[in-house]
Amino acid sequence: MPESAAPVLESLPRRPLGGLPVIAASPGQAVDAVINSARTELSNGAAVHLINAYSIALSQRDRAFQQSLSGTAHNFPDGKPLSWVTRATRQPLTQVRGPQFFLDVMDRGRESSVRHFLLGGSEELLVKLQQNLEARFPGVEIVGTYSPPFRSLSEAELDAQDELILRSGADIVWVGLGTPKQDHEVRRLADSLHVTACAVGAAFDFTAGTKREAPKWMTRVGLEWTFRLISEPRRLWKRYLIGNFVFLAAIIRNH
């Protein structure tokens, strides 16, 4: 599909990987599709996920998480291993790196006045995040932010949060709550509010400057996970060292 075809999410091709449907598209097509889908008045909402090897590994033992990434979910391959293991197949995947995807949608969305809502992280992080986005992309429309409590929300709290999002008039809700919580939330938002909701993980921290990104050369050769593991070993060692083996087993089992 050429870049000028202005795709929407539903039109992008999928292929199975590790038991999940994953979109085979270029980063540019991913950006265009999300913007076009968000601005479609007849949209029924879209749950967008940036998945990696850990996502596939976690889905093997977490049925609820697997369900959030199945059906009508729009899963882009964030992480080099997903492209590596499909390189020799008839439908190889191209990495759509979450932090860059987040920035590209902010940038190119200005052309069609896309309105953005930022959900997740601390209030201090959201202030820095909004300031950095507005400085980097003059004219970008950040119409709302919300820092939810770091626990499960009550029904009344969810209703209040949803009302805040609806009143903002947001076209895209960006959710940075960590995996798998953010993936469940974008699915809920897409189904209940009929908005385009995107789970973007560490993109909030990187853009706000509260966490360091890997050097570009490490990202380019697929060693970003190594940098993150060294930066946060206690939190991430199971995700990468054990999760990578589970990921490979899932690929082989579902081949």
Side-chain angles (χ1 to χ4, degrees), residues 25-242:
S26 71
Q29 288 172 330
V31 170
D32 288 343
V34 166
I35 291 173
N36 292 335
S37 296
R39 296 295 286 158
T40 300
E41 292 183 3
L42 298 179
S43 173
N44 290 320
V48 178
H49 310 264
L50 280 297
I51 71 169
N52 53 27
Y54 173 67
S55 306
I56 291 178
L58 182 60
S59 72
Q60 305 307 301
R61 59 180 173 83
D62 187 332
R63 183 58 61 86
F65 182 56
Q66 184 182 64
Q67 290 176 345
S68 287
L69 299 181
S70 300
T72 58
H74 305 288
N75 303 318
F76 289 108
D78 179 6
K80 287 285 188 183
L82 275 66
S83 60
W84 288 341
V85 298
T86 61
R87 186 172 294 170
T89 67
R90 287 182 298 176
Q91 197 174 31
L93 297 173
T94 302
Q95 182 187 22
V96 179
R97 185 171 174 270
Q100 188 60 52
F101 168 80
F102 176 59
L103 296 177
D104 288 345
V105 175
M106 290 286 172
D107 183 12
R108 285 157 60 177
R110 292 179 294 176
E111 299 172 6
S112 50
S113 300
V114 174
R115 300 179 295 268
H116 306 273
F117 192 100
L118 309 173
L119 174 65
S122 67
E123 292 182 3
E124 293 79 9
L125 179 143
L126 288 172
V127 169
K128 293 178 182 178
L129 178 58
Q130 183 169 354
Q131 289 174 342
N132 288 354
L133 287 170
E134 291 174 344
R136 187 165 182 173
F137 306 114
V140 68
E141 295 189 46
I142 310 296
V143 295
T145 67
Y146 182 62
S147 173
F150 290 96
R151 55 170 171 75
S152 297
L153 274 62
S154 67
E155 187 173 337
E157 288 172 326
L158 277 176
D159 289 343
Q161 174 190 285
D162 290 353
E163 180 62 25
L164 187 65
I165 292 170
L166 287 173
R167 286 204 312 269
S168 75
D171 300 305
I172 302 177
V173 181
W174 298 95
V175 184
L177 296 172
T179 304
K181 185 176 181 179
Q182 63 188 12
D183 298 280
H184 296 315
E185 181 62 9
V186 299
R187 188 63 178 262
R188 189 192 69 82
L189 289 169
D191 290 344
S192 62
L193 303 187
H194 305 302
V195 297
T196 296
C198 302
V200 288
F204 279 16
D205 288 297
F206 293 156
T207 305
T210 54
K211 286 185 180 179
R212 290 178 57 205
E213 284 195 77
K216 289 185 178 180
W217 72 265
M218 294 187 79
T219 299
R220 188 166 53 250
V221 300
L223 291 177
E224 184 173 7
W225 69 272
T226 307
F227 179 86
R228 294 193 65 191
L229 176 59
I230 294 171
S231 301
E232 300 180 81
R234 294 184 64 182
R235 187 174 76 86
L236 297 176
W237 75 270
K238 285 186 179 180
R239 171 182 297 194
Y240 291 124
L241 299 185
I242 297 177

